[in-house]
Amino acid sequence: MTTQTPQTLFEKVWNQHLVRPQTADLPAVLYIDLHLVHEVTSPQAFTQLRERGLTVRRPDRTLATMDHSTPTTPRGADGLIPVTDAMAAAQLEVMRKNCGDFGIRLFDLGTRNQGIVHVIGPEQGITQPGMTIVCGDSHTSTHGAFGALAFGIGTSEVAMVLASQCLLQNKPKTMAVRVNGKLDAGVTAKDIILGIIAKIGIGGGTGYVFEYMGEAIRGLSMEGRMTICNMSIEGGARAGMIAPDETTFNYVYGKPHAPKGADWDAAVAGWRNLPSDEGATFDSEVTLEADELVPMITYGTNPGMGMPITSSVPDPDRATDVSHKMALDKALTYMGLQPGERLLGKPVDVVFIGSCTNSRITDLREAAKIMRGHKVAEGVRVMVVPGSQQVKAQAEAEGLDRVFKETGAEWREAGCSMCIAMNGDQLQPGQYAVSTSNRNFEGRQGKGGRTFLASPLTAAATAINGVITDPREVIHPTA
Amino acid sequence: MEPIKTFSGKVVALPINDIDTDQIIPARYLKVTDKAGLGAACFSDWRYESDGTPKPDFVLNQPEHQGAVVLIGGNNFGCGSSREHAPWALMGAGFKAVISTYFADIFKNNSLKNGLLPVIVDEETHQQLISLAQEDADTTITVDLAAQMVTLPDGRQVGFPIDGFSKHCLLNGVDQLGYVLSLEENIQAYEGANPARVNTLEPA
């Protein structure tokens, strides 16, 4: 009888996908179960395949959608979403041709399954525990919520996976991210991840794969867990994982591509072996207390510049070192904020509810619950952008679209929208936005635009008040 | 890919921490389907006024810094999005190497696959290089990948880490995709032992 060394969730998934283990001279060859493809980071990869006369090795493990450069403007009389940007239209056409030529399934713009790449995988049941999943997009970490090893890759790696279904990887280190306790009302998964990133900084997870654990993580829905894993990359970690449990299985069960019958039972039996073994060790560890957490908001120009919404903007003169002071000075200048300023009560121009971080049905339900029966504050543009056509259809079936429209908010087509601002949805220079997306980098939401990242609850509360609002002030206790 | 040989060239410092790929190449330039023209848009929002005229106070626009081939960034260079357009843009702008104390993982991988060298140095060397570049725009260093060594103007040599496989590929112009494709038998064996559970081509 052999005694096996206790393994982490990451190590189990990693080891199960080794075509060749790492050696002193060579990186590991890792097999990829699922490759998600979108229009922006794939064209040059397909060009490479053509130049070398290569085919896509496993079209049956590849799925394409359109999301980044697609407009989210309402459909025309013909029922189609108009693409007025000639370059975007050309890029979408290239995507269609590439998928056609190489036999890849494409969820084309406006069709019933189209949506943000990290929303469609889970909703189709294609994202499953224990898989390796890659995409030419850093927010691929989202799929780690299912106990998959999922990470973003560049276009050269997209070509490699298309041609070989494999990647060359050096084994990353592991970090246990423990979130103890329970969340108070009005505090969400988004606040947990903004809290973690504020604590470790945006480079804190570089070289690591996170495993989120602890009571607060266990208590989250799958959609909350996706929000957390989604922003692992904002802490520098390429991947973040959560051990699958009954919440995971219940979510996957019955999805279009989920295993059925005896296959389901066999799959679940395997998935139950995935959680980290008792005694498994991590290279690093960080802990957050959920019951001390309040709604979070960013004040600066990277996701690590976050604070409790009740706090004041930090003073660069109190920074611990020169480079930190310089970074803070630069950020506050860009944001037009003063040291010590409070963000509560600050007027905003735009509220954006959407993105692969927070555009799923529970995000929309939570926002609608706060906005129902109110009007959007005068002069504020509020955009609600569902993450996929499926989310949009579900929301419309529940009447959420009417709730939003009655407040004066815009109800739009599915896509990345103002998270990436390469599709017509963007801030004007100097505008302030509260956004449920994942990045507040300079110009991320439009050149000169200024972003405060926050939860859908904070965004919704801000939408009706027109000023940055602590959502706990507007949540009415339910009878 | 062309093999990387030892090179010497001018350095220019952009000592800002956490330079993200949205600054290196803003998303609105990602609607291209090739790699051409990205160099002109490198650091676009820092480099140009809204009417497209170059900002004279931005370091990369200053005449004395033209022709620099090594960019010294702040800590955690290249964080953010996975866009390989970032190294493409930097190379299009003439850079052969970027120096920092550490790089974001995806940016580093993307750079290594394109022949843009991510050179990691200690804090002290980093600060020294920034000072040198800021004091004298003609500061020139030598980067020797085979020896994993940077030679400073005063002759001091500083080593830098790189994984052995990437180094081998860069020095010899070896194509990583070709290597993976040569493992066809291993890949087939893996697939035989691990059948797929999901078929994306099936209607659902």
Side-chain angles (χ1 to χ4, degrees):
Chain A
M1 202 171 135
T2 56
T3 324
Q4 208 139 24
T5 316
Q7 291 184 323
T8 63
L9 164 63
F10 160 74
E11 287 165 333
K12 291 179 189 186
V13 180
W14 174 269
N15 290 338
Q16 283 167 12
H17 289 84
L18 289 175
V19 172
R20 272 192 160 190
Q22 189 169 339
T23 67
D25 302 322
L26 293 168
V29 181
L30 197 68
Y31 195 80
I32 301 303
D33 290 324
L34 175 65
H35 185 192
L36 300 168
V37 177
H38 66 81
E39 75 278 12
V40 171
T41 56
S42 67
Q44 298 86 350
F46 284 108
T47 301
Q48 203 185 336
L49 295 196
R50 283 198 181 86
E51 284 170 359
R52 301 173 63 131
L54 296 168
T55 56
V56 172
R57 181 184 177 84
R58 297 297 299 264
D60 60 325
R61 288 177 175 276
T62 311
L63 181 67
T65 188
M66 298 175 167
D67 54 4
H68 282 66
S69 64
T70 55
T72 64
T73 37
R75 292 167 191 254
D78 55 2
L80 299 175
I81 299 168
V83 185
T84 53
D85 180 323
M87 282 188 81
Q91 192 174 55
L92 298 178
E93 206 43 53
V94 166
M95 176 94 274
R96 289 184 189 105
K97 177 166 171 47
N98 286 335
C99 290
D101 288 358
F102 289 92
I104 294 169
R105 185 150 185 217
L106 170 66
F107 292 164
D108 204 333
L109 180 60
T111 58
R112 72 185 178 94
N113 290 327
Q114 176 248 338
I116 305 177
V117 64
H118 311 307
V119 176
I120 63 166
E123 80 186 2
Q124 293 293 323
I126 287 174
T127 298
Q128 294 177 14
M131 291 175 95
T132 47
I133 302 175
V134 298
C135 173
D137 189 286
S138 61
H139 293 111
T140 308
S141 56
T142 310
H143 308 262
F146 292 79
L149 174 61
F151 53 91
I153 57 177
T155 299
S156 295
E157 291 179 315
V158 170
M160 186 177 281
V161 179
L162 288 173
S164 71
Q165 207 59 33
C166 291
L167 269 183
L168 299 173
Q169 291 290 301
N170 292 307
K171 193 175 178 181
K173 293 179 286 186
T174 53
M175 188 186 293
V177 181
R178 192 177 297 279
V179 188
N180 296 321
K182 287 191 169 68
L183 292 173
D184 284 338
V187 189
T188 68
K190 183 65 165 284
D191 304 302
I192 291 180
I193 189 63
L194 286 174
I196 291 166
I197 300 164
K199 185 165 184 165
I200 66 171
I202 62 163
T206 305
Y208 289 93
V209 167
F210 291 155
E211 182 180 338
Y212 302 98
M213 56 183 75
E215 186 187 359
I217 301 295
R218 288 290 134 221
L220 291 173
S221 69
M222 282 314 295
E223 302 200 342
R225 294 178 187 184
M226 282 187 253
T227 298
I228 293 202
C229 289
N230 172 274
M231 288 188 71
S232 301
I233 186 67
E234 313 313 334
R238 282 180 80 184
M241 305 173 78
I242 295 174
D245 58 11
E246 296 306 317
T247 302
T248 321
F249 308 146
N250 290 338
Y251 183 94
V252 177
Y253 184 79
K255 292 276 188 292
H257 282 272
K260 296 185 176 56
D263 287 345
W264 171 258
D265 296 334
V268 172
W271 296 342
R272 287 192 195 282
N273 293 325
L274 287 170
S276 294
D277 297 325
E278 199 166 324
T281 55
F282 293 81
D283 297 302
S284 183
E285 182 161 345
V286 62
T287 303
L288 197 77
E289 302 299 331
D291 31 22
E292 293 170 12
L293 202 62
V294 304
M296 296 288 292
I297 193 162
T298 62
Y299 56 83
T301 51
N302 73 51
M305 294 180 178
M307 64 179 192
I309 198 166
T310 46
S311 294
S312 316
V313 173
D315 185 347
D317 287 338
R318 293 191 180 179
T320 45
D321 63 71
V322 176
S323 68
H324 189 211
K325 175 184 159 33
M326 275 175 56
L328 265 181
D329 272 329
K330 187 174 190 314
L332 297 194
T333 302
Y334 181 84
M335 292 297 291
L337 297 174
Q338 299 302 318
E341 182 175 348
R342 285 169 66 83
L343 294 184
L344 283 176
K346 187 171 184 67
V348 301
D349 305 289
V350 174
V351 171
F352 172 64
I353 298 173
S355 88
C356 59
T357 313
N358 281 124
S359 64
R360 298 179 181 83
I361 191 69
T362 42
D363 299 315
L364 302 186
R365 284 178 191 147
E366 287 180 3
K369 208 191 287 182
I370 285 186
M371 293 173 71
R372 188 186 297 272
H374 293 275
K375 288 284 177 203
V376 161
E378 204 176 319
V380 179
R381 180 185 188 193
V382 180
M383 299 172 74
V384 185
V385 185
S388 69
Q389 295 293 338
Q390 294 281 313
V391 170
K392 181 166 183 273
Q394 176 68 30
E396 288 173 355
E398 296 178 19
L400 302 183
D401 59 322
R402 289 197 307 276
V403 172
F404 291 121
K405 284 191 254 186
E406 281 164 16
T407 66
E410 299 172 35
W411 176 246
R412 299 177 70 94
E413 290 291 332
C416 299
S417 184
M418 200 186 271
C419 176
I420 191 153
M422 61 180 293
N423 42 47
D425 298 347
Q426 63 189 65
L427 296 177
Q428 299 306 309
Q431 280 190 324
Y432 283 109
V434 166
S435 175
T436 67
S437 57
N438 41 56
R439 287 186 175 138
N440 51 345
F441 297 145
E442 288 183 26
R444 170 77 180 190
Q445 297 198 279
K447 188 174 178 175
R450 302 186 281 198
T451 301
F452 301 110
L453 299 177
S455 74
L457 297 183
T458 302
T462 301
I464 55 178
N465 284 351
V467 298
I468 294 175
T469 301
D470 186 333
R472 294 172 299 179
E473 290 170 21
V474 297
I475 295 173
H476 303 294
T478 46
Chain B
M1 189 167 55
E2 288 293 303
I4 292 189
K5 300 196 169 56
T6 300
F7 62 90
S8 298
K10 280 192 349 177
V11 297
V12 61
L14 194 56
I16 296 167
N17 286 347
D18 309 311
I19 293 180
D20 60 81
T21 54
D22 275 272
Q23 308 316 313
I24 299 170
I25 182 81
R28 62 183 180 277
Y29 297 106
L30 308 189
K31 285 179 260 185
V32 294
T33 53
D34 57 16
K35 305 175 188 178
L38 293 170
C42 191
F43 292 112
S44 170
D45 288 356
W46 288 353
R47 202 163 147 197
Y48 304 111
E49 304 287 357
S50 25
D51 65 0
T53 52
K55 295 181 181 175
D57 57 345
F58 184 62
V59 68
L60 297 187
N61 289 335
Q62 292 164 349
E64 63 271 29
H65 289 295
Q66 299 312 301
V69 298
V70 178
L71 179 69
I72 309 167
N75 307 332
N76 190 30
F77 189 91
C79 59
S81 124
S82 66
R83 61 191 69 167
E84 199 159 319
H85 308 68
W88 295 338
L90 287 163
M91 295 180 81
F95 293 109
K96 295 179 175 181
V98 182
I99 297 180
S100 178
T101 52
Y102 70 101
F103 291 88
D105 290 327
I106 306 179
F107 176 83
K108 185 170 73 182
N109 284 347
N110 288 341
S111 297
L112 288 169
K113 291 193 168 55
N114 287 277
L116 178 70
L117 260 190
V119 176
I120 299 167
V121 296
D122 60 273
E123 290 272 359
E124 192 191 338
T125 305
H126 188 234
Q127 282 308 320
Q128 190 186 352
L129 278 167
I130 291 168
S131 303
L132 285 168
Q134 289 178 335
E135 285 158 18
D136 179 3
D138 289 324
T139 298
T140 295
I141 64 168
T142 300
V143 180
D144 181 348
L145 172 61
Q148 294 179 226
M149 200 71 81
V150 174
T151 306
L152 275 50
D154 62 4
R156 184 159 81 97
Q157 293 196 311
V158 181
F160 62 89
I162 184 169
D163 75 272
F165 180 70
S166 295
K167 177 179 170 180
H168 169 78
C169 292
L170 291 170
L171 279 176
N172 299 291
V174 170
D175 158 38
Q176 300 196 9
L177 176 54
Y179 166 69
V180 173
L181 292 173
S182 76
L183 303 174
E184 177 61 26
E185 277 182 28
N186 301 66
I187 301 172
Q188 275 186 23
Y190 181 89
E191 287 178 330
N194 298 276
R197 182 170 286 132
V198 169
N199 182 346
T200 56
L201 299 175
E202 278 176 3

